[in-house]
């Protein structure tokens, strides 16, 4: 799975130690962190949680550079972070990606990169040489030609299939990241069939909720729909010849782990801002003003005070 380090790897041992230490001494450390490397992208997706007038994107702000990210990664690894995800906009357009990946101690931390795959084919060997663990592609429709229209990227579906064929030769875990809304909820089996057909190991599923430009198409906690998704996923997860489905809404619900922001998870934008997560519309700290270690531990204290 893309959600945890490979079993019996050194980074999984780091995760086990992190979990045991946190439990024994009641001291939290971040389990996984999302880092947005750049505010550049070659797609125009209506559902993007990064680009919105009063959301995260800000053309007047300057992005972190390669040395800033290298230091950030080292600080996170000192905090026993086991998973780092490189996310929005398009991480492959970050010009210092190779340097950042090569700076990671992969005995401590596994890495995943989210991409639209448009420019992936030429980057695969570089990603493999720098020990990237997993690659996730965002797919917005079970028909890849319609997905191309949504992304506003011509020839995208052909590039996706070519990149997957090349990625098969390397030891990546490949995931399809997709979302469902009221409009396509009952098409879920078609998305799963598409993931199987084009050779993904896993599906990361995001049923949408009220955020950004999807405000008119969002799914709140509708019990009937929630139960439909649960039953559908259970059917397919019991089939050995289908990709495993990781359902984000369920994992972050009361039925499972609950929301882990500022306990085991945080999000860092390309502008130095530290957010609870990339779906939350407010940030409180900036790593230009303080270190990520101090920010994380101060936030834990604030959460304890609020709880009490």
């Amino acid at each position: 799975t893309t959600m945890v380090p490979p079993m019996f790897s050194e980074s999984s041992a780091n995760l086990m130690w992190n979990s045991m230490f946190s439990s024994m001494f009641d001291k939290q450390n971040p389990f996984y962190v999302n880092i947005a490397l750049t505010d550049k992208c070659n797609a125009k997706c209506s559902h993007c949680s990064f680009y919105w007038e009063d959301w995260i994107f800000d053309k007047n702000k300057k992005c972190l550079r390669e040395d800033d990210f290298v230091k950030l990664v080292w600080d996170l690894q000192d905090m026993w972070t086991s998973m780092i995800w490189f996310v929005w906009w398009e991480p492959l357009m970050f010009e210092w990606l190779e340097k950042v990946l090569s700076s990671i101690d992969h005995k401590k931390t596994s890495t995943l990169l989210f991409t639209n795959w448009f420019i992936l084919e030429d980057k695969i060997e570089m990603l493999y040489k720098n020990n990237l663990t997993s690659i996730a592609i965002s797919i917005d429709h079970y028909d890849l030609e319609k997905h191309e229209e949504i992304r506003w990227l011509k020839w995208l579906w052909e590039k996706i299939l070519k990149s997957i064929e090349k990625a098969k030769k390397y030891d990546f875990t490949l995931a399809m990241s997709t979302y469902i809304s009221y409009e396509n909820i009952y098409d879920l089996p078609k998305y799963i069939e598409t993931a199987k057909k084009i050779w993904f190991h896993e599906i990361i599923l995001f049923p949408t909720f009220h955020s950004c430009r999807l405000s008119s198409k969002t799914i709140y906690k509708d019990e009937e729909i929630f139960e439909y998704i649960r039953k559908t996923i259970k059917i397919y997860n019991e089939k050995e010849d289908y990709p495993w489905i990781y359902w984000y809404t369920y994992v972050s619900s009361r039925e499972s782990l609950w929301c882990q922001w500022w306990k085991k998870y945080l999000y860092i934008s390309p502008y130095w801002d530290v957010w609870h997560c990339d779906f939350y519309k407010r940030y409180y700290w900036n790593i230009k003003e303080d270190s990520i270690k101090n920010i994380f531990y101060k936030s834990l204290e604030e959460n304890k005070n609020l709880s009490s």
Side-chain angles (χ1 to χ4, degrees):
T1 175
T2 59
M3 298 299 120
V4 294
M7 188 60 70
F8 305 120
S9 65
E10 290 171 291
S11 54
S12 73
N14 183 47
L15 169 61
M16 298 298 180
W17 172 245
N18 187 342
S19 301
M20 185 176 70
F21 184 87
S22 298
S23 177
M24 289 175 63
F25 300 104
D26 191 26
K27 180 177 174 61
Q28 297 289 348
N29 286 294
F31 161 40
Y32 76 96
V33 176
N34 280 10
I35 301 177
L37 293 173
T38 180
D39 61 359
K40 297 178 182 178
C41 190
N42 49 6
K44 300 176 182 178
C45 310
S46 63
H47 55 281
C48 180
S49 64
F50 184 85
Y51 182 78
W52 190 235
E53 290 179 3
D54 57 350
W55 198 256
I56 300 175
F57 176 72
D58 189 335
K59 64 182 180 181
N60 297 315
K61 288 186 177 180
K62 292 184 178 180
C63 294
L64 280 77
R65 295 176 62 85
E66 75 275 31
D67 292 337
D68 302 314
F69 280 113
V70 168
K71 183 182 183 306
L72 174 60
V73 164
W74 289 349
D75 286 343
L76 290 171
Q77 291 197 300
D78 283 344
M79 299 164 70
W80 298 349
T81 301
S82 304
M83 291 290 300
I84 294 177
W85 291 11
F86 296 109
V87 295
W88 351 103
W89 276 7
E90 174 49 63
L92 292 177
M93 295 183 72
F94 181 61
E95 56 189 306
W96 301 291
L97 177 60
E98 183 171 8
K99 181 174 180 179
V100 173
L101 286 175
S102 65
S103 71
I104 296 172
D105 182 350
H106 293 274
K107 293 181 179 180
K108 295 181 179 179
T109 306
S110 293
T111 48
L112 178 144
L113 184 138
F114 273 85
T115 173
N116 60 40
W117 288 53
F118 191 77
I119 58 175
L120 176 64
E121 187 177 4
D122 295 333
K123 305 281 187 178
I124 287 175
E125 290 181 7
M126 180 275 288
L127 298 174
Y128 176 75
K129 289 177 182 177
N130 288 283
N131 299 303
L132 185 75
T133 311
S134 307
I135 306 175
I137 173 176
S138 299
I139 289 186
D140 308 324
H141 200 281
Y142 59 83
D143 181 331
L144 290 185
E145 292 192 31
K146 291 186 178 179
H147 165 66
E148 178 181 291
E149 294 174 8
I150 295 170
R151 293 266 159 162
W152 292 68
L153 285 173
K154 197 172 182 180
W155 316 118
L156 176 59
W157 68 275
E158 291 183 8
K159 289 179 178 289
I160 289 172
L161 296 178
K162 286 182 179 179
S163 296
I164 288 177
E165 284 302 312
K166 188 171 182 179
K168 286 180 183 179
K169 302 174 184 177
Y170 298 91
D171 196 23
F172 297 114
T173 298
L174 302 178
M176 183 178 93
S177 172
T178 191
Y179 73 95
I180 50 177
S181 64
Y182 277 122
E183 293 181 346
N184 64 350
I185 183 71
Y186 296 109
D187 288 330
L188 178 56
K190 295 180 181 179
Y191 285 83
I192 298 170
E193 293 293 343
T194 295
K196 179 188 177 184
K197 182 179 178 180
I198 57 179
W199 206 83
F200 284 107
H201 300 107
E202 185 172 80
I203 299 169
I204 306 172
L205 181 64
F206 295 95
T208 55
F209 46 92
H210 191 90
S211 64
C212 295
R213 288 174 280 182
L214 273 180
S215 59
S216 62
K217 304 177 182 180
T218 56
I219 296 173
Y220 294 91
K221 186 64 180 298
D222 184 312
E223 292 298 333
E224 181 180 343
I225 289 179
F226 195 83
E227 197 57 33
Y228 167 76
I229 299 171
R230 186 207 302 272
K231 289 180 178 178
T232 303
I233 290 174
K234 185 176 186 295
I235 290 169
Y236 283 97
N237 273 348
E238 290 176 351
K239 298 181 179 184
E240 294 185 359
D241 57 339
Y242 275 80
W244 173 258
I245 305 168
Y246 172 89
W247 180 19
Y248 180 84
T249 304
Y250 173 75
V251 171
S252 60
S253 71
R254 292 182 181 181
E255 286 89 340
S256 184
L257 298 177
W258 198 231
C259 180
Q260 293 297 303
W261 62 271
W262 293 112
K263 298 175 185 174
K264 293 296 182 185
Y265 166 79
L266 54 88
Y267 166 76
I268 301 166
S269 85
Y271 308 129
W272 312 73
D273 302 320
V274 184
W275 299 61
H276 295 133
C277 81
D278 45 338
F279 297 119
Y280 190 74
K281 203 175 179 180
R282 183 181 298 172
Y283 66 90
Y284 296 95
W285 299 276
N286 187 289
I287 55 177
K288 186 182 284 189
E289 301 165 1
D290 204 348
S291 71
I292 190 62
K293 292 181 182 180
N294 287 340
I295 289 172
F296 184 76
Y297 295 128
K298 283 193 297 187
S299 71
L300 290 177
E301 288 301 317
E302 289 186 18
N303 283 342
K304 285 183 181 179
N305 294 334
L306 288 172
S307 299
S308 60

